Amino acid sequence: LLTAPSLENRDASHFHAPARPQSAVQPATLELRIELEHYEIILNQHPGHALALSGKSMAAARMGRFVEAQALVEHLHVVAPTHPYTDVTSAVLEAARGQDQDALRSLRRAVEGRDRLDEELQVELRRDIATDPAFLPLRNHWRLRAVLRRHFAAASPRGTK
């Protein structure tokens, strides 16, 4: 499954752990540890795999492993500086650290660059914004709501009450 030589960047999106609504930082659950192992396998075979770097960084941030997550984000900015998921990954780490303004800027860049994603990843981007617990505090922020309305219109993820 993971050893296929034709593994494309979008294949890693299937390894995202299910979003958990309780908090942006989660204890090292079995699911997150397994997710990290999957990304390691991909990265051992394809060191510059943008979505695997993104996923591993997001999983590390969700586990509170911010130093590791930051190092992965920095590497991601080198290997895929214009990939929208580079900005999504930065936003997850920034939101988990409580850096809401930085996270909002990163999400804006990701949404504005979504046209560079295939259709499946555009859907994944909307899903991540709508369900990722790291973004819970941001979903009702007027700046994020305005960006989402401008770019997604009726299909924009909704805020929480």
Side-chain angles (χ1 to χ4, degrees), residues 147-158:
V147 167
L148 295 176
R149 273 193 307 276
R150 185 175 331 116
H151 292 279
F152 294 126
S156 69
R158 303 288 181 232

Side-chain angles (χ1 to χ4, degrees), residues 93-136:
L93 179 58
E94 292 156 353
R97 286 180 166 165
Q99 300 167 329
D100 291 354
Q101 296 306 313
D102 293 332
L104 287 166
R105 278 190 291 276
S106 294
L107 282 173
R108 179 187 46 79
R109 285 191 306 269
V111 169
E112 289 173 351
R114 77 188 185 291
D115 291 338
R116 293 189 302 268
L117 299 172
D118 64 25
E119 189 174 319
E120 181 181 335
L121 281 176
Q122 287 189 35
V123 170
E124 181 82 4
L125 175 63
R126 284 194 305 272
R127 185 199 64 83
D128 284 345
I129 293 170
T131 64
D132 194 307
F135 300 142
L136 183 61

Side-chain angles (χ1 to χ4, degrees), residues 1-8 11-12 14-15 38 41-42 45-46:
L1 172 71
L2 297 174
T3 60
S6 64
L7 184 67
E8 295 178 0
D11 291 341
H14 300 289
F15 295 115
H38 283 260
I41 292 168
I42 295 168
Q45 295 174 8
H46 308 278

Side-chain angles (χ1 to χ4, degrees), residues 22-50:
Q22 56 268 48
S23 129
V25 177
Q26 303 167 17
T29 64
L30 178 60
E31 293 89 8
L32 286 172
R33 287 194 303 268
I34 290 171
E35 181 178 2
L36 284 173
E37 289 172 13
H38 283 260
Y39 290 127
E40 275 300 315
I41 292 168
I42 295 168
L43 290 168
N44 285 336
Q45 295 174 8
H46 308 278
H49 193 287

Side-chain angles (χ1 to χ4, degrees), residues 133-145:
F135 300 142
L136 183 61
L138 306 177
R139 285 192 199 107
N140 284 328
H141 195 285
W142 69 268
R143 285 179 55 200
L144 180 59
R145 307 279 311 133

Side-chain angles (χ1 to χ4, degrees), residues 60-91:
R62 287 183 186 110
M63 293 169 70
R65 294 163 50 176
F66 297 127
V67 172
E68 177 184 359
Q70 182 64 45
L72 289 163
V73 166
E74 289 171 7
H75 183 60
L76 186 58
H77 277 279
V78 171
V79 300
T82 62
H83 194 288
Y85 262 86
T86 298
D87 290 316
V88 173
T89 306
S90 292

